[in-house]
Amino acid sequence: MTQAPAEPRATRRRHDREIVALAVPAFGALIAEPLFVIADSAIVGHLGTAQLAGLGIASVLLTTAVSVFVFLAYATTAAVARRVGGGDLQAAIRQGVDGIWLALLLGAAVIAIVLPSAPALVDLVGASNTAAPYAVTYLRISALGIPAMLVVLASTGVLRGLQDTRTPLYVAVAGFVANAALNVSLVYGADLGIAGSAWGTVIAQWGMAAAYLTVVVRGARRHGASLRPDTAGIRASAQAGAPLLVRTLSLRAILMIATAVAARLGDADVAAHQIILSLWSLLAFALDAIAIAGQAIIGRYLGANDTKGAREACRRMVEWGIATGIVLGLLVIVSRPLFLPLFTSDAVVRDTALPALLMVALSQPICGIVFVLDGVLMGAGDGPYLAGAMLITLAAFAPVALLVPTLGGGLTALWGAMTLMMTVRMLTLWLRARSGRWMVTGATR
């Protein structure tokens, strides 16, 4: 009678130790990423509402330009973790090196597109005449840091797959501190305004890329993995990431639609939306820490042909996601009147953001489930299903969001549509996780 429950408790404790060991450092690294935008928003916000609105527009475009290639981290994590589970560290690191070369090639291509088309991109999002010049300035300068951020994504995937989330934490913290110091110095000390904020971020991003490359190169030499570009390997990395690219493009389209709708509601609304989106990204990355653990753990279990361990780990991580979402939602409700003045002194912007933040708070338990299951399926290499599920989500969200300016409700209604979007994602991911068809074993999928 007493022995039967002991095994589930022991199993939960084992998975808890694994999750904590990977998720806690990943949490620190992940929240440092949106803190870049939050720091920029706090510094630029005190220059004026038009500057903050311009930063909001440019940040969405830049985040889109980088995040569409997030498969450089996600697909690499899953592939490297599978090889770790299979016991082949040399092949694991070689997989990551191919991803880094792919990142450099993609980064160069993105710069070539963004620099000449910056005004058209800003206009496409719907920036006002007052915000557009600031958005173009920030976008053109910050585009120079895109290759660095893609290298960071690929290198982070290598280390996560190797079950190392501590090194990304150290690099991210150093990058955030450098970014904040450079922004203050260049925006106010050098009186460069919003351009100073962009240059500070670019310098910090390239510093982070250099740190990651140093770590990966040392690991490659230790395990005898080649550092030379391999055409077949680079092509294979691109093909493995293609479904995740579709998934990410669909997600970025959702965020772009939301920002475009907010921009058409007025400068105060898009400025408030920028603050809320920064917070939402912070909360999302915090929840994604468990998903990062999921990618590494699930990939390793499946690489070692342990479907039972993969299933148990999935169940436990979902429980963690729900509990974390509840806690984060409560924190948003309690703290929302306190942190808004940190980002703007405009009372209209604060009043616009306050009720919309309630929608963000209420959606956090749903977000917890979504991010965890997303990570589990990525760790399993289930990219094609994730791509299809996100296309369904985009189709459900777009018409609802685009009707907000017509039907009314303002920014609060827009974030209600965002909550609907997360609910659709939860349902599609839950159905897949329940089916078990994602559990494909072996060192390669």
Side-chain angles (χ1 to χ4, degrees), residues 179-191:
N179 176 68
L182 286 166
N183 268 255
V184 171
S185 299
L186 296 176
V187 172
Y188 296 111
D191 198 26

Side-chain angles (χ1 to χ4, degrees), residues 139-400:
L139 179 59
R140 278 182 165 156
I141 296 172
S142 293
L144 301 176
I146 289 175
M149 292 313 296
L150 297 189
V151 169
V152 166
L153 286 175
S155 302
T156 300
V158 179
L159 297 178
R160 289 173 181 169
L162 293 171
Q163 317 294 296
D164 175 12
T165 56
R166 291 183 178 274
T167 300
L169 170 62
Y170 302 146
V171 176
V173 170
F176 169 71
V177 172
N179 176 68
L182 286 166
N183 268 255
V184 171
S185 299
L186 296 176
V187 172
Y188 296 111
D191 198 26
L192 294 179
I194 196 170
S197 177
W199 280 117
T201 300
V202 168
I203 294 169
Q205 288 167 342
W206 276 106
M208 292 172 66
Y212 273 114
L213 288 174
T214 300
V215 174
V216 172
V217 168
R218 286 176 180 173
R221 289 174 175 168
R222 186 181 308 117
H223 294 287
S226 174
L227 293 170
R228 294 180 179 179
D230 177 70
T231 303
I234 294 171
R235 186 184 303 113
S237 295
Q239 290 172 346
L244 292 181
L245 177 61
V246 174
R247 168 235 179 233
T248 304
L249 284 171
S250 301
L251 178 58
R252 298 315 307 179
I254 288 170
L255 298 180
M256 290 288 289
I257 290 170
T259 299
V261 171
R264 283 162 174 78
L265 295 174
D267 277 2
D269 290 271
V270 75
H273 178 74
Q274 167 63 16
I275 294 171
I276 296 172
L277 190 60
S278 298
L279 174 65
W280 189 78
S281 298
L282 175 63
L283 298 173
F285 278 116
L287 290 168
D288 208 27
I290 307 171
I292 295 302
Q295 292 174 31
I297 292 170
I298 295 298
R300 192 186 76 237
Y301 275 129
L302 294 179
N305 300 311
D306 186 357
T307 56
K308 182 174 182 289
R311 186 183 298 107
E312 291 171 345
C314 174
R315 183 183 304 113
R316 189 57 177 159
M317 283 183 283
V318 169
E319 293 170 357
W320 274 72
I322 294 171
T324 305
I326 292 171
V327 171
L328 291 175
L330 292 174
L331 287 175
V332 172
I333 291 173
V334 171
S335 64
R336 63 195 179 107
L338 304 177
F339 67 80
L340 283 175
L342 296 175
F343 299 100
T344 180
S345 56
D346 190 326
V348 176
V349 175
R350 292 200 302 266
D351 291 342
T352 302
L354 200 60
L357 282 172
L358 269 180
M359 300 302 301
V360 174
L362 294 173
S363 69
Q364 289 312 296
I366 297 172
C367 293
I369 298 172
V370 167
F371 284 105
V372 168
L373 291 180
D374 208 38
V376 166
L377 297 183
M378 285 183 188
D382 202 17
Y385 181 84
L386 291 172
M390 191 57 74
L391 287 171
I392 292 172
T393 302
L394 173 60
F397 169 78
V400 176

Side-chain angles (χ1 to χ4, degrees), residues 398-414:
V400 176
L402 292 172
L403 283 173
V404 168
T406 302
L407 298 180
L411 196 64
T412 302
L414 176 59

